[in-house]
Amino acid sequence: QAGWKGFREADAGVHRLQSLVLVNYGGASGLQLLELARRIQRDIAERFSVELEMEPNLSISESWRAVESKKPCLADVRARLFC
């Protein structure tokens, strides 16, 4: 109903079937995904008077698993996700 399903802006987007799932199509930064999430939150609040809450769930790719296996500290993980 809100029109966000399948929305895409560069490499940050919304899943075509599930409007509550953000998708990184390859080159989006964590900040770009966060900005998209906040944009959707504002839009839904303004149009429907509904406050959406974020539930951060990560789907980790195989390439990230290789990085993860080197046991980076939490600060490193956050920097990679949000820079």
Side-chain angles (χ1 to χ4, degrees):
Q1 301 288 358
W4 285 102
K5 283 183 187 173
F7 175 85
R8 184 170 175 175
E9 189 170 74
D11 279 340
V14 180
H15 192 279
R16 65 182 183 84
L17 299 176
Q18 177 48 270
S19 59
L20 297 177
V21 175
L22 298 184
V23 179
N24 184 337
Y25 288 98
S29 68
L31 182 57
Q32 288 171 306
L33 291 169
L34 183 59
E35 287 171 348
L36 176 57
R38 289 181 176 156
R39 184 173 162 194
I40 293 169
Q41 283 180 311
R42 282 190 306 272
D43 178 61
I44 298 304
E46 290 170 8
R47 292 170 56 195
F48 302 102
S49 298
V50 173
E51 298 294 324
L52 298 177
E53 294 183 20
M54 284 192 218
E55 293 182 9
N57 294 308
L58 300 176
S59 176
I60 300 175
S61 70
E62 290 304 314
S63 60
W64 179 257
R65 289 184 203 288
V67 170
E68 187 180 52
S69 69
K70 296 178 183 172
K71 307 237 186 267
C73 73
L74 185 56
D76 288 344
V77 172
R78 286 185 180 162
R80 287 190 189 109
L81 290 175
F82 293 107
C83 292

